[in-house]
Amino acid sequence: GAANGGGFGGGFGGGGSRSSHGYTRQPGDNAPCDVAKVDDLLQQRNDAKRGRDFDTADRIRDQLRAMGVEVMDRDRVWRASGGGMMGGGGG
């Protein structure tokens, strides 16, 4: 039989917190979304901001928004509103 299990969960982020970008999903948000991808993008965005590469950080935020994910930097929380364009597109 295919022995699945293990392999995942180790080796990421050097232990400690689940993900080193420090953002958590808003409690009660259960809209369907690709959490692993969001995590990945938040990680990249965090690295970009750390490197003072704000163009990249903005681009990643736009990418997240296109997935229907809103990031609240002040609270270090993200949520999947499900379906992207909330509150009109002004840009």
Side-chain angles (χ1 to χ4, degrees), residues 46-66:
N46 203 45
D47 289 345
K49 290 206 308 203
R50 212 180 286 147
R52 312 204 63 77
D53 182 356
F54 294 109
D55 285 346
T56 298
D58 280 352
R59 229 183 352 257
I60 292 170
R61 191 193 57 216
D62 289 346
Q63 213 178 322
L64 285 161
R65 194 176 284 148

Side-chain angles (χ1 to χ4, degrees), residues 33-76:
C33 72
D34 188 345
V35 176
K37 178 112 191 260
V38 172
D39 234 26
D40 200 41
L41 287 168
L42 284 172
Q43 186 67 66
Q44 289 174 39
R45 183 164 177 256
N46 203 45
D47 289 345
K49 290 206 308 203
R50 212 180 286 147
R52 312 204 63 77
D53 182 356
F54 294 109
D55 285 346
T56 298
D58 280 352
R59 229 183 352 257
I60 292 170
R61 191 193 57 216
D62 289 346
Q63 213 178 322
L64 285 161
R65 194 176 284 148
M67 292 164 58
V69 173
E70 197 182 341
V71 183
M72 279 76 80
D73 285 315
R74 207 181 48 230
D75 304 320
R76 289 182 96 66

